[in-house]
Amino acid sequence: MKVLFLSVPTGQGHHQTAKAVLEYFKSNEDVECRFLDVVDDVSPMLADSLQQGYLLSTKMTPRIYGRIYDMADQRNQEKNSNIGKLIQSILHKKLLAYLRQYDPDIIVATHVIAAIAVTYLRSKYPIRAKAIAIVTDYTFHPYWEDADVDYYITPSELLTFQALKKRIPKDRIKPFGIPIQPHFMQKIPQKEAREKLGLRDQFTILLMMGSMGFGSNVLSTIRSLDRMEGDFQLITVCGNNKKLKARIDAMIKHKTILNFGYTNEVSTLMDAADCIITKPGGLSTSEAMAKELPMILLDPIPGQEDRNKEFMLNNGIALSISPYFPVTEAIYQLMHYDYKTKSMKENMKNIAKPGAAAALGEFMLELAGESNPL
């Protein structure tokens, strides 16, 4: 079986989702996998524009980004929107040449842009590959109407009604979950994880703001917690935001704060923590749910992360910081009222899908077997 994973460079979540499934196939000699950044590898100029535009819209002008997202979400459900036409015109030639050269059995798109590009090519040219799209948020992006693939991998069966409203046939919806790395399915004892990190065995808060280190309220949040009464410690992860890491390092601190930049030890950090303060990204929240780690949501990007937050709150698996419910109150509740954390963990058990990568991998093997019978 030959598989081609297509992703887009808007944060690390989409890439990591593909890599989780790649990891599942790692020891299978009968499966050949390739990973292609559909924008960066096909059109570097567009990749830079998209990346910079994403950074600008989500970090500098989030309200404007949110309004554009809402307008797109409210448009009439129609194919061939302007964004679809733009993607088709820029990407299709080089991507078509790559597909013809590699000739995969299955194409897996981890971003709506990649799914739209594949949709266009399959409508114009004889491409035999089955197409699968992974929805990496707990909501459907407004432009999923422009995609038409064989199967949609959704984070939860609780999104099925939303998918049907997007005119996606029910037999194409596979609620396997968002694929995450296998180490998030394992958990080392909390005390052992803290010893490994050189931390005391006390209530521990993990604060993560994604690979790009977004979060306008991060410093004020950390300062509020640092001044708060109570016996606890913090782990902070700044991602690629070196300026933020330097500012936290330079703080005069009253509490223990273990500060990281970009790190591959997230699984261990989660094992050491009693709760996590994070942006409601699809991948990071899926990893936290797999660990049954109570979540406090901070600084959602208007648009998809706002919808992710609503999903988490409506299903009782997270708290959300606001001017009327500050981070200190959220932490106090989790430290002193066990029923809050127990309730969140129980709800996570019903929604988390830590085996999503394996479920999708097995499904792909079945698809390949149907396409190539003995």
Side-chain angles (χ1 to χ4, degrees):
M1 181 173 74
K2 295 169 70 175
V3 183
L4 177 63
F5 291 89
L6 299 179
S7 189
V8 169
T10 52
Q12 286 295 311
H14 303 285
H15 286 11
Q16 291 301 322
T17 297
K19 290 176 181 178
V21 189
L22 281 164
E23 184 70 21
Y24 174 76
F25 287 127
K26 191 174 181 180
S27 60
N28 191 329
E29 296 180 355
D30 294 325
V31 179
E32 177 187 337
C33 296
R34 289 190 187 181
F35 175 87
L36 181 70
D37 186 321
V38 71
V39 177
D40 195 24
D41 293 336
V42 175
S43 177
M45 186 177 295
L46 177 60
D48 185 63
S49 299
L50 182 64
Q51 181 79 331
Q52 293 304 316
Y54 179 78
L55 286 167
L56 179 65
S57 63
T58 56
K59 189 174 183 180
M60 304 299 293
T61 57
R63 290 184 180 178
I64 294 174
Y65 177 82
R67 290 195 193 108
I68 293 171
Y69 188 101
D70 289 340
M71 289 171 61
D73 205 18
Q74 294 166 12
R75 71 192 172 104
N76 293 329
Q77 293 184 350
E78 58 183 13
K79 302 287 183 182
N80 298 319
S81 67
N82 289 334
I83 191 170
K85 293 174 183 176
L86 176 64
I87 292 167
Q88 294 160 12
S89 64
I90 296 176
L91 296 180
H92 85 273
K93 289 184 179 178
K94 286 189 177 180
L95 183 56
L96 176 63
Y98 190 95
L99 290 176
R100 284 176 169 169
Q101 179 270 323
Y102 183 51
D103 189 28
D105 297 295
I106 298 176
I107 301 170
V108 181
T110 66
H111 192 286
V112 66
I113 287 178
I116 292 172
V118 171
T119 297
Y120 175 75
L121 291 177
R122 294 209 310 167
S123 71
K124 298 292 183 181
Y125 305 99
I127 296 172
R128 69 177 184 86
K130 292 285 188 181
I132 296 174
I134 302 176
V135 180
T136 54
D137 284 296
Y138 287 82
T139 184
F140 275 83
H141 192 284
Y143 288 106
W144 277 110
E145 286 93 347
D146 292 286
D148 184 9
V149 297
D150 296 299
Y151 296 100
Y152 297 78
I153 310 305
T154 64
S156 169
E157 58 276 3
L158 296 174
L159 291 182
T160 297
F161 182 70
Q162 192 179 137
L164 295 174
K165 289 202 300 180
K166 295 282 184 184
R167 301 179 186 176
I168 297 172
K170 192 169 184 178
D171 61 351
R172 297 191 191 184
I173 303 167
K174 301 295 178 183
F176 296 149
I178 298 175
I180 58 176
Q181 293 288 339
H183 49 257
F184 288 101
M185 297 174 62
Q186 303 161 358
K187 190 173 178 66
I188 62 175
Q190 193 174 66
K191 186 175 181 179
E192 182 182 327
R194 290 172 181 172
E195 288 176 352
K196 186 176 179 180
L197 296 168
L199 291 170
R200 295 192 302 277
D201 189 22
Q202 63 177 178
F203 193 91
T204 303
I205 302 163
L206 172 60
L207 191 153
M208 289 184 58
M209 298 312 295
S211 62
M212 295 182 179
F214 288 168
S216 59
N217 296 314
V218 174
L219 280 174
S220 61
T221 298
I222 293 171
R223 290 189 179 111
S224 294
L225 292 171
D226 189 53
R227 293 192 297 265
M228 181 180 171
E229 291 185 8
D231 192 19
F232 60 85
Q233 58 198 349
L234 288 88
I235 304 170
T236 54
V237 180
C238 304
N240 292 316
N241 192 332
K242 295 180 181 179
K243 184 177 179 180
L244 176 62
K245 184 180 185 304
R247 294 183 70 179
I248 296 172
D249 285 339
M251 279 177 54
I252 297 174
K253 306 173 185 70
H254 301 91
K255 287 184 167 52
T256 297
I257 300 179
L258 184 61
N259 189 30
F260 290 85
Y262 188 87
T263 176
N264 292 316
E265 298 298 321
V266 174
S267 180
T268 302
L269 302 184
M270 287 186 173
D271 289 336
D274 291 283
C275 66
I276 181 171
I277 302 172
T278 184
K279 292 169 59 60
L283 186 70
S284 58
T285 52
S286 296
E287 292 167 349
M289 278 193 279
K291 295 283 190 179
E292 295 178 20
L293 186 62
M295 290 183 278
I296 301 171
L297 305 179
L298 173 71
D299 279 349
I301 296 170
Q304 63 267 35
E305 288 192 356
D306 270 338
R307 271 79 165 169
N308 287 346
K309 182 184 78 172
E310 289 182 7
F311 180 92
M312 306 296 160
L313 296 180
N314 288 336
N315 288 287
I317 54 180
L319 303 176
S320 178
I321 295 170
S322 75
Y324 313 105
F325 188 71
V327 66
T328 48
E329 187 163 347
I331 291 298
Y332 185 90
Q333 289 188 7
L334 294 183
M335 286 183 68
H336 293 91
Y337 304 107
D338 288 344
Y339 71 88
K340 295 277 289 191
T341 57
K342 287 180 181 177
S343 174
M344 293 166 74
K345 289 181 178 183
E346 283 300 316
N347 290 331
M348 286 181 188
K349 288 179 182 177
N350 292 324
I351 295 173
K353 295 186 183 296
L360 176 54
E362 289 300 314
F363 178 69
M364 290 163 62
L365 289 169
E366 291 175 13
L367 277 183
E370 292 171 4
S371 301
N372 301 291
L374 295 175

